[in-house]
Amino acid sequence: MSAAGTARRAIVVGGGIGGLASAVALTHKGWDVTVLERAPQFQEIGAGVTLFPNAIRALDYLGFESKLFVGQGMRAGGLRSNTGRWLMRQEVSQSDVAPVHRAYLHDILRSAVPGESLIADSRVTAVTLTGEVEYCKDGETRTVHGDLIVAADGISSGIRAQHWPELPPPQYVGVTAWRAIAEVRNPHDFGLTQTWAPGAELGIVPLIDGRIYWYAALLAPQGERFADNHAYVLERFGAWHDPIPELVAATEPGALLHHDLFHASRQPKTLVRGKIVLLGDAAHAIPPFLGQGACQALEDAATLGAYIDTRDGLDRYDRVRRERAHAVAKATRMTGRMGIFVRNPALAVARNAIVRATPGNIARRAMDRVTRWEVPAT
């Protein structure tokens, strides 16, 4: 408790997955939490998100039992070439991953935060190291004070730009990507599959509600756009193995999202300055080559909750999360170099041969090093 017996107050800037998860964690610890979201409503417009074991452990810590993510069983999946040849096959179960729609995850997090704590359509204009937050709402400038400011305002974080000016802005990865949910309800033997071709890849992720999340990615110049994204993706990936052409064709054109991918080219030397703590993409934005963006934001939130009431809690959060983020970012870069960044056809053939010759348990252990994470003991 702070002076005069009042509850400690946290201001969370950003109402995405990381911001809401941190709000849940702090609320559970007795903090009075306010979440400021710039968008007119608290909602998620993305496609799918794969919750790996580390994310599920974080969600369990936050009070969401794994049963929330149990749906239909996963089928055999693995890695293929664009001709359909299997490079690596693995059985994938719900204990390994829980793929869900981002909106579903966002909704259950939001439902655990008191409604009066959520303030949408509020644009933060300034934050001080001493805990003052200035924001605009309904044409009026308002100021609130927090004992803790959680900067969960995304990859283009204004708070990071203001108080970590030594960091460069997000850098283009060199990859453009399309994402969508197909309402096909598993008419085929869809499994959690990633397919490689030189300078391109496509992933199929069956969601626990029966729909199919898929993404396609290409090496491309930044800002390149297409008059008809659906037609372009169908043409570019239409000759790949089944069921990819049918899956793309079955997707409503209006459901297809197209974005260039960015990342933080430099990690901050500290995640904490004054009363401000960086969290999620504001702290350590990474490309999606390992599917760890949302997972790392959930780890951040759980770790913040675990340490916030301990002696030197923010220092512990800072040290543990910087070390962890560095390791995951390094593994993500290595995955990209082995995958989509192999653009030479001859090198791709050699790469595929190496992958086919690699025992599946070795590849699984490599992924386990990323996803084998536990909420810190205090």
Side-chain angles (χ1 to χ4, degrees):
M1 305 292 284
S2 59
T6 58
R8 297 159 299 176
R9 189 174 194 186
I11 311 299
V12 178
V13 181
I17 289 171
L20 289 176
S22 65
V24 173
L26 292 167
T27 298
H28 287 174
K29 289 301 181 79
W31 285 65
D32 178 11
V33 180
T34 297
V35 184
L36 301 175
E37 167 56 41
R38 182 169 185 165
Q41 296 178 329
F42 281 83
Q43 62 182 8
E44 179 61 64
I45 61 172
V49 57
T50 303
L51 300 172
F52 288 94
N54 51 325
I56 295 174
R57 292 187 193 104
L59 287 163
D60 281 347
Y61 171 82
L62 295 174
F64 303 100
E65 298 296 332
S66 296
K67 64 184 179 181
L68 288 172
F69 307 102
V70 174
Q72 63 178 38
M74 199 68 67
R75 304 186 181 189
L79 185 61
R80 306 177 79 172
S81 73
N82 62 313
T83 64
R85 183 174 187 179
W86 285 100
L87 308 179
M88 182 181 299
R89 298 196 72 166
Q90 289 185 332
E91 293 292 331
V92 182
S93 70
Q94 294 281 195
S95 63
D96 298 312
V97 292
V100 299
H101 198 295
R102 293 185 73 94
Y104 170 74
L105 175 60
H106 191 270
D107 285 347
I108 67 166
L109 290 169
R110 184 186 60 207
S111 69
V113 181
E116 62 272 18
S117 298
L118 304 174
I119 304 178
D121 200 18
S122 52
R123 181 172 58 89
V124 173
T125 54
V127 175
T128 70
L129 294 177
T130 54
E132 282 73 37
V133 178
E134 181 183 273
Y135 67 99
C136 292
K137 182 173 176 61
D138 301 329
E140 176 186 343
T141 298
R142 308 178 186 183
T143 301
V144 291
H145 177 85
D147 302 295
L148 174 70
I149 310 300
V150 179
D153 50 341
I155 189 171
S156 299
S157 169
I159 298 175
R160 185 189 62 231
Q162 180 185 357
H163 291 291
W164 280 259
E166 72 278 10
L167 295 177
Q171 302 295 306
Y172 179 52
V173 174
V175 176
T176 196
W178 295 263
R179 299 173 295 145
I181 303 291
E183 303 279 352
V184 293
R185 299 287 173 181
N186 268 350
H188 296 288
D189 186 18
F190 288 114
L192 183 63
T193 308
Q194 188 176 53
T195 299
W196 281 346
E201 67 179 45
L202 188 143
I204 298 174
V205 184
L207 302 182
I208 63 175
D209 64 8
R211 294 179 294 173
I212 305 297
Y213 163 52
W214 65 269
Y215 63 88
L218 294 171
L219 298 182
Q222 181 179 351
E224 186 174 15
R225 292 296 177 264
F226 307 93
D228 186 332
N229 275 301
H230 190 260
Y232 177 79
V233 174
L234 189 56
E235 177 185 3
R236 181 63 177 76
F237 295 88
W240 286 30
H241 66 77
D242 291 333
I244 288 174
E246 182 178 352
L247 185 60
V248 176
T251 302
E252 290 291 333
L256 193 58
L257 304 174
H258 180 208
H259 300 287
D260 289 344
L261 302 184
F262 290 79
H263 73 133
S265 59
R266 276 176 50 198
Q267 299 286 343
K269 293 183 178 180
T270 177
L271 300 179
V272 178
R273 282 189 175 161
K275 294 186 177 181
I276 303 172
V277 56
L278 296 178
L279 185 143
D281 281 351
H284 42 63
I286 54 176
F289 305 140
L290 281 175
Q292 280 293 306
C295 297
Q296 291 305 299
L298 291 169
E299 283 190 23
D300 285 351
T303 303
L304 182 63
Y307 282 148
I308 194 63
D309 287 336
T310 66
R311 185 171 179 268
D312 301 325
L314 290 184
D315 290 338
R316 292 184 179 191
Y317 169 88
D318 184 23
R319 181 175 64 255
V320 168
R321 293 312 301 164
R322 278 190 294 110
E323 181 179 344
R324 171 69 170 160
H326 177 77
V328 173
K330 181 179 179 181
T332 299
R333 290 193 299 270
M334 292 177 62
T335 301
R337 286 198 292 267
M338 278 290 293
I340 195 169
F341 287 105
V342 178
R343 68 174 76 202
N344 182 288
L347 291 178
V349 170
R351 182 268 318 274
N352 291 354
I354 292 171
V355 172
R356 285 198 307 273
T358 302
N361 62 332
I362 293 178
R364 187 179 182 92
R365 285 200 298 269
M367 190 62 186
D368 284 348
R369 284 195 290 271
V370 174
T371 64
R372 189 187 296 120
W373 172 88
E374 301 288 345
V375 179
T378 56

